[in-house]
Amino acid sequence: MSEATQTATLWLARIHVTLKPAVVDPQGDTILSALHQLHFNDVQGVRAGKYLEVTLRAADADAAAASVDAMCSTLLANPVIERYTFDVEVAPED
Amino acid sequence: MSEATQTATLWLARIHVTLKPAVVDPQGDTILSALHQLHFNDVQGVRAGKYLEVTLRAADADAAAASVDAMCSTLLANPVIERYTFDVEVAPED
């Protein structure tokens, strides 16, 4: 990691990866069935997805977003059956 | 399902279930390692969670939120190691 990178801003990306609407969601269907067994009978449907919080260093928000987009398309989401959305903000101080 | 329930508003709840900060996240650590192998070297950390979209019928937003809160605490999240947040809005027309 270069010195410039170490002094770059720390960003927090919140990423949602969800199945495309046409794709069958066995995990969601299983949760729906379990909710009905627990007498939550007003539930109509459940779709299950992934939520990822990624912290990364980048010079600016555009660079951070470009990096996160590359991560999503190459590793975090399967473009055949999933889609992803994300937003990027300055990471809160711990 | 009662007739009153069938005419109630359809709500969409977006639920995030995340590990508590002190809990080790092997899935997130594995993703972090994979990102580094793919030369995303500026990534500092990854936390993995679940994202659920639940559609349900309820008389009003407060009733929908109360129902979703009960679902989270009894089935969708493990209160020992996880925490959950959600928001409820009128479900978009398909």
Side-chain angles (χ1 to χ4, degrees):
Chain A
M1 190 180 295
S2 70
E3 188 176 333
T5 301
Q6 288 193 24
T7 57
T9 307
L10 191 62
W11 302 88
L12 171 64
R14 303 177 200 270
I15 304 168
H16 293 84
V17 181
T18 53
L19 287 169
K20 291 180 180 175
V23 177
V24 173
D25 179 5
Q27 184 183 0
D29 292 344
T30 301
I31 294 170
L32 176 63
S33 175
L35 287 171
H36 286 170
Q37 286 177 35
L38 291 170
H39 307 295
F40 292 106
N41 295 315
D42 294 334
V43 179
Q44 306 283 298
V46 178
R47 299 289 285 179
K50 288 176 282 185
Y51 172 65
L52 299 167
E53 291 183 344
V54 173
T55 49
L56 71 160
R57 290 200 180 276
D60 54 43
D62 286 348
S67 184
V68 171
D69 193 64
M71 289 176 213
C72 287
S73 59
T74 56
L75 180 73
L76 302 178
N78 176 351
V80 178
I81 59 169
E82 294 175 322
R83 58 187 181 187
Y84 60 87
T85 60
F86 63 86
D87 57 70
V88 172
E89 63 184 48
V90 175
E93 297 291 328
D94 286 323
Chain B
M1 191 179 295
S2 71
E3 188 176 334
T5 301
Q6 289 194 22
T7 57
T9 308
L10 191 61
W11 302 88
L12 171 63
R14 303 177 201 271
I15 304 168
H16 292 83
V17 181
T18 52
L19 288 169
K20 291 180 180 175
V23 178
V24 173
D25 178 4
Q27 184 184 0
D29 292 345
T30 301
I31 295 170
L32 176 63
S33 174
L35 287 171
H36 285 170
Q37 286 177 36
L38 291 170
H39 306 296
F40 291 106
N41 295 315
D42 294 334
V43 178
Q44 306 284 298
V46 178
R47 298 289 286 179
K50 289 177 281 186
Y51 171 65
L52 299 167
E53 291 183 345
V54 173
T55 50
L56 71 160
R57 290 200 181 279
D60 55 42
D62 286 347
S67 184
V68 171
D69 193 64
M71 291 176 212
C72 288
S73 59
T74 56
L75 180 72
L76 302 178
N78 176 350
V80 178
I81 59 168
E82 294 174 324
R83 57 186 180 188
Y84 60 86
T85 61
F86 63 85
D87 57 70
V88 173
E89 64 184 48
V90 175
E93 297 290 329
D94 287 322

